[in-house]
């Protein structure tokens, strides 16, 4: 089975502006022997048919093979983060998984997901729907650690009601092909939406982050902050589009991408984009690309710090800004203690 051969499936093209610079060819033309729905090891969760009208076609890849969503409902405050571990083991297999997370009115909750694999030439297509009700507070962190010759397509769709908060943090640590696709159409008031990520790539890793945020109502905040640390021949794409429509008075829309290239062969295509249709707002966007500051390196060395240690200190300071944005102490501890060997 090849994805490109599926009849009626509308796949993105390299000519589509939304997917420009994202090379899906290997994923869409790979030959998979098996198709599997990845099952959660959780008892008692119901499933519903996924009839959502999504903003782009990437969600339809998962839904083409399995149109059922597992529903995780959080009715009240939970003291510790829930944790879901995904381990892809079978070779030449295309896995799919769809989860709908409902955080009910006034609840405070957090969730961690880890995506790892020991497979060869396999792919995992994941859909996530996050429905956050009034006055709810939801924090989410994910670690993606996919090995070479494997792929992960992660699609996230957010629906937030009045006065809700979402803080979402992603850590991309693998050397495979990964596409993250984030959609948030903000139709309600006083929304807080924070999307943070660290892309720490090496070898021939290829990572793309596609982000669309639309403000349709007043007094909401979207804050998108991505850090890229790229070594060897790794590649990254950052495409963020935020639209602030006329009814979204007093909104705040921020986008920021910072990249450190740690080799001559590493590269990034960064395209932050704001589309502003009102005057009464705060907004900014930017993208920087460079190397570690040589003057800072020399300064640290002049204080007696060995060159390699000084290099590591500066890189850690750059990368830790994403870690420091996490609110939940238990999520911080999980990220700090994470080791791939524990989950493969």
């Amino acid at each position: 089975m090849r994805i490109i051969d599926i009849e009626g499936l509308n796949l993105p093209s390299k000519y589509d502006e939304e997917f420009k610079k994202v090379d899906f060819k290997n994923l869409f033309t790979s030959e998979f022997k098996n198709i599997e729905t990845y099952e959660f090891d959780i008892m008692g969760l119901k499933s519903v048919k996924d009839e959502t009208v999504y903003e782009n076609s990437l969600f339809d890849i998962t839904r083409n093979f399995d149109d059922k969503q597992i529903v995780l409902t959080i009715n009240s405050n939970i003291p510790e983060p829930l944790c879901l571990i995904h381990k892809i083991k079978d070779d030449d297999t295309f896995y799919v998984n769809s989860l709908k997370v409902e955080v009910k009115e006034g609840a405070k909750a957090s969730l961690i997901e880890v995506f790892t694999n020991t497979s060869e030439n396999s792919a995992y297509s994941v859909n996530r729907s996050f429905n956050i009700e009034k006055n709810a507070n939801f924090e989410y962190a994910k670690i993606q650690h996919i090995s070479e010759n494997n792929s992960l397509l992660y699609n996230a769709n957010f629906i937030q009601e009045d006065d809700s908060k979402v803080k979402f943090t992603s850590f991309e640590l693998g050397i495979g092909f990964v596409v993250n696709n984030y959609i948030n159409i903000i139709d309600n008031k006083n929304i807080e939406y924070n999307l943070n990520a660290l892309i720490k790539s090496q070898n021939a890793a290829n990572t793309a982050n596609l982000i669309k945020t639309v403000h349709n109502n007043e007094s909401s905040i979207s804050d998108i902050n991505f850090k890229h640390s790229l070594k060897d021949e790794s590649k990254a794409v950052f495409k963020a589009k935020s639209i602030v429509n006329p009814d979204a008075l007093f909104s705040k829309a921020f986008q920021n991408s910072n990249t450190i290239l740690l080799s001559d062969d590493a590269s990034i295509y960064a395209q932050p984009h704001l589309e502003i249709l009102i005057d009464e707002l705060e907004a900014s966007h930017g993208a920087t690309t460079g190397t570690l500051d040589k003057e800072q390196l020399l300064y640290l060395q002049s204080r007696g710090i060995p060159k390699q240690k000084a290099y590591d200190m500066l890189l850690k300071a750059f990368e830790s800004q994403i870690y420091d944005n996490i609110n939940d102490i238990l999520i911080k501890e999980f990220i700090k203690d994470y080791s791939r060997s524990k989950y493969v």
Side-chain angles (χ1 to χ4, degrees):
M1 185 279 298
R2 300 193 310 167
I3 295 175
I4 199 171
D5 295 331
I6 298 173
E7 194 171 332
L9 187 59
N10 181 28
L11 295 175
S13 164
K14 63 181 180 181
Y15 301 109
D16 297 334
E17 179 60 33
E18 185 176 7
F19 304 109
K20 187 178 180 181
K21 299 295 183 179
V22 183
D23 187 2
F24 290 100
K25 182 178 179 181
N26 288 340
L27 173 60
F28 291 165
T29 60
S30 290
E31 188 73 43
F32 298 106
K33 295 179 181 179
N34 305 299
I35 303 169
E36 300 284 346
T37 296
Y38 190 93
E39 302 290 349
F40 290 115
D41 189 19
I42 305 175
M43 300 295 292
L45 297 181
K46 68 177 183 179
S47 65
V48 296
K49 187 174 182 179
D50 184 4
E51 297 180 318
T52 305
V53 178
Y54 293 109
E55 286 287 313
N56 66 37
S57 60
L58 290 179
F59 291 87
D60 292 329
I61 296 174
T62 299
R63 188 161 55 179
N64 179 80
F65 298 104
D66 188 352
D67 65 356
K68 296 291 191 296
Q69 283 184 317
I70 301 299
V71 181
L72 174 62
T73 301
I74 301 170
N75 291 303
S76 58
N77 294 354
I78 55 175
E80 297 182 357
L82 302 174
C83 190
L84 301 175
I85 308 298
H86 305 253
K87 305 175 185 179
I88 303 304
K89 299 179 180 180
D90 295 337
D91 297 343
D92 303 304
T93 301
F94 189 83
Y95 287 90
V96 296
N97 176 270
S98 186
L99 175 68
K100 181 178 184 180
V101 179
E102 299 177 334
V103 183
K104 295 300 184 179
E105 183 173 350
K108 183 178 181 180
S110 53
L111 173 64
I112 300 169
E113 287 197 88
V114 177
F115 298 87
T116 63
N117 74 296
T118 56
S119 58
E120 287 289 336
N121 192 39
S122 288
Y124 196 11
S125 185
V126 175
N127 283 4
R128 293 289 176 266
S129 294
F130 299 103
N131 290 22
I132 316 301
E133 294 189 1
K134 290 182 179 180
N135 296 302
N137 190 332
F138 180 61
E139 184 161 11
Y140 176 98
K142 68 179 168 75
I143 296 174
Q144 299 169 326
H145 211 152
I146 303 301
S147 62
E148 191 176 10
N149 300 321
N150 292 270
S151 303
L152 173 65
L153 173 59
Y154 180 97
N155 302 300
N157 187 68
F158 300 87
I159 299 174
Q160 294 184 243
E161 296 185 7
D162 290 351
D163 302 296
S164 64
K165 298 179 181 179
V166 168
K167 174 159 280 192
F168 188 108
T169 308
S170 176
F171 295 87
E172 171 52 54
L173 307 176
I175 57 174
F177 174 67
V178 174
V179 176
N180 295 300
N181 176 38
Y182 303 107
I183 306 291
N184 193 344
I185 309 301
I186 300 174
D187 288 327
N188 295 300
K189 298 179 180 180
N190 302 316
I191 302 301
E192 290 187 23
Y193 170 56
N194 290 274
L195 179 61
N196 307 289
L198 171 64
I199 295 85
K200 187 177 175 68
S201 297
Q202 58 185 325
N203 297 354
N206 191 338
T207 303
N209 285 281
L210 311 175
I211 306 154
K212 183 176 182 180
T213 310
V214 181
H215 290 256
N216 288 326
N217 213 327
E218 62 186 43
S219 302
S220 292
I221 301 171
S222 64
D223 191 357
I224 297 162
N225 184 26
F226 277 60
K227 303 283 187 185
H228 304 83
S229 171
L230 308 179
K231 293 176 64 175
D232 305 321
E233 299 175 354
S234 59
K235 299 178 181 179
V237 173
F238 170 84
K239 291 174 69 69
K241 184 176 185 179
S242 297
I243 302 171
V244 184
N245 284 318
D247 291 335
L249 298 172
F250 315 115
S251 293
K252 299 179 181 180
F254 307 113
Q255 301 173 355
N256 193 44
S257 168
N258 302 119
T259 302
I260 288 182
L261 300 178
L262 301 171
S263 77
D264 292 338
D265 295 321
S267 63
I268 184 167
Y269 177 84
Q271 187 183 53
H273 177 81
L274 288 175
E275 189 172 318
I276 307 298
L277 302 177
I278 57 172
D279 295 325
E280 297 84 358
L281 84 162
E282 292 182 40
S284 66
H285 70 301
T288 62
T289 303
T291 60
L292 286 177
D293 191 309
K294 293 181 179 179
E295 290 187 4
Q296 290 183 350
L297 275 173
L298 290 172
Y299 173 77
L300 291 174
Q301 288 177 263
S302 73
R303 307 296 291 180
I305 299 173
K307 183 177 180 180
Q308 186 59 50
K309 186 175 181 180
Y311 176 97
D312 292 340
M313 288 173 62
L314 291 178
L315 189 58
K316 184 177 180 180
F318 172 80
E319 296 173 349
S320 65
Q321 294 174 31
I322 297 301
Y323 171 82
D324 291 341
N325 280 334
I326 297 171
N327 290 336
D328 191 301
I329 294 174
L330 294 177
I331 292 180
K332 279 190 171 183
E333 291 177 356
F334 183 94
I335 300 299
K336 182 180 180 180
D337 295 337
Y338 169 78
S339 173
R340 190 175 193 273
S341 61
K342 297 180 181 178
Y343 301 102
V344 295

